[in-house]
Amino acid sequence: MDGTLGELGETAVLARIFPRLPASSAQLVGPGDDAAVLAAPDGRFVVTTDTMIHGPDFRLAWSSFEDLGWKAAATNLSDVAAMGAVPTALVVALAVPATASVLDLERLADGFRLACEALAPACGVVGGDLSVSDTLTIAVTAFGDLEGRAPVLRSGARAGDVVALSGTLGAAAAGLRALFERATDPAGEPDAELATALRSSHPGLLDTQLRPVPPIADGRLAALAGATAMLDVSDGLGLDARRIASASRAAIDLDPSALGADPALALSGGEDHGLLATFPAGTELPGGFRAIGRVVAGDGVLVDGVPYDARGGWDPYDDWNGGRG
Ligand SMILES: [Mg+2]
């Protein structure tokens, strides 16, 4: 049975979607009642939200519905992990065109389930809302459990700490650049056939952009190892390192030799959602963390001791207007 949201109505569509959603281990009452009920054994919970809107944040010509569910889950899980918490539950508010097929919505639910299974197995979708709009919008709220630990804030870095990163740098930006350069029509509009061809001719090139795999479990490991500050790198290493530096009233000096083959792209490219953390000197770095610099007295971001101008951070509106790409 196919059909559109407009033909089937919300109740019938939800009946198709609910069985595909991942369950949360914190869930006491799940989808289907007026609200969900979650266990919060710590007495506190972490909460964050992030919205993806067709146009500035994604294009259906480039992303499948399953990709979108995956990415919406991954980016929210990443903000929970960046506090040193374990993601427990997601609530998803969708506004979709009435012409959207129920199969599209099933694929979207599949993307949420696959991402939770891969990145945060205790986390599930416990509720949400389904509405109609000409502009596809996916708004996710995520909850997390601190398991009795102090949250890892942006403000705790101290001179002498090691700066470390888990995850990729610049891979999502390289994928977005490839999409703009090689998967747009002569008028500059995203082209689905070109994107599909690019995806099969260059396996992996677009994955971090369309289906990021942030190191969610490393957030908890960083907290356990004594991380003094942390965030997820959503807007580019240069800009996000500056956020830790300014919150901590210190400077971050990055080692260009630790930034991969293209340090400029690593510094400016956003959306990889790696975790950037600081640890006391001598800490054995946990999980996938590797040292990329150190915290020093002063302010701002330095690269090999030279002040870095962070204006190259990711700006979605600039990108979608055909800017840096
Ligand atoms: Mg963040």
Side-chain angles (χ1 to χ4, degrees), residues 206-223:
L206 306 181
D207 287 358
T208 308
Q209 170 58 220
L210 300 180
R211 232 173 146 101
V213 183
I216 303 302
D218 279 357
R220 174 177 180 272
L221 295 181

Side-chain angles (χ1 to χ4, degrees), residues 194-211:
L194 291 173
T196 303
L198 181 60
R199 218 164 174 171
S200 56
S201 66
H202 292 75
L205 174 63
L206 306 181
D207 287 358
T208 308
Q209 170 58 220
L210 300 180
R211 232 173 146 101

Side-chain angles (χ1 to χ4, degrees), residues 148-159:
R149 294 180 299 273
V152 184
L153 308 179
R154 298 179 176 188
S155 52
R158 295 294 174 261

Side-chain angles (χ1 to χ4, degrees), residues 63-302:
S63 293
S64 70
F65 275 84
E66 191 179 290
D67 292 336
L68 294 175
W70 177 292
K71 184 165 181 172
T75 53
N76 279 278
L77 296 172
S78 175
D79 277 325
V80 172
M83 302 302 289
V86 176
T88 53
L90 305 176
V91 176
V92 180
L94 296 176
V96 302
T99 53
S101 142
V102 67
L103 292 176
D104 293 335
L105 297 175
E106 287 182 338
R107 295 291 91 79
L108 191 75
D110 290 345
F112 275 97
R113 189 184 67 253
L114 293 168
C116 285
E117 285 171 358
L119 304 174
C123 188
V125 176
V126 298
D129 182 47
L130 179 58
S131 187
V132 175
S133 163
D134 289 338
T135 303
L136 175 59
T137 301
I138 306 168
V140 180
T141 299
F143 300 90
D145 180 6
L146 287 163
E147 300 180 323
R149 294 180 299 273
V152 184
L153 308 179
R154 298 179 176 188
S155 52
R158 295 294 174 261
D161 285 356
V162 174
V163 177
L165 181 100
S166 177
T168 57
L169 282 176
L176 190 61
R177 177 188 288 174
L179 284 166
F180 272 110
E181 289 178 355
R182 303 173 65 176
T184 50
D185 65 20
E189 285 299 308
D191 185 286
E193 279 182 31
L194 291 173
T196 303
L198 181 60
R199 218 164 174 171
S200 56
S201 66
H202 292 75
L205 174 63
L206 306 181
D207 287 358
T208 308
Q209 170 58 220
L210 300 180
R211 232 173 146 101
V213 183
I216 303 302
D218 279 357
R220 174 177 180 272
L221 295 181
L224 288 169
T228 50
M230 184 158 55
L231 52 55
D232 73 315
V233 182
S234 53
D235 297 331
L237 176 63
L239 209 149
D240 284 317
R242 182 177 298 270
R243 289 178 171 141
I244 287 184
S246 105
S248 298
R249 299 172 184 275
I252 285 183
D253 190 7
L254 297 168
D255 174 3
S257 71
L259 302 183
D262 189 343
L265 186 65
L267 283 161
S268 66
E271 291 197 285
D272 284 59
H273 296 284
L275 290 171
L276 179 68
T278 57
F279 297 91
T283 302
E284 187 175 335
L285 297 179
F289 281 97
R290 59 193 187 275
I292 62 166
R294 63 196 183 96
V295 182
V296 297
D299 58 67
V301 173
L302 314 169

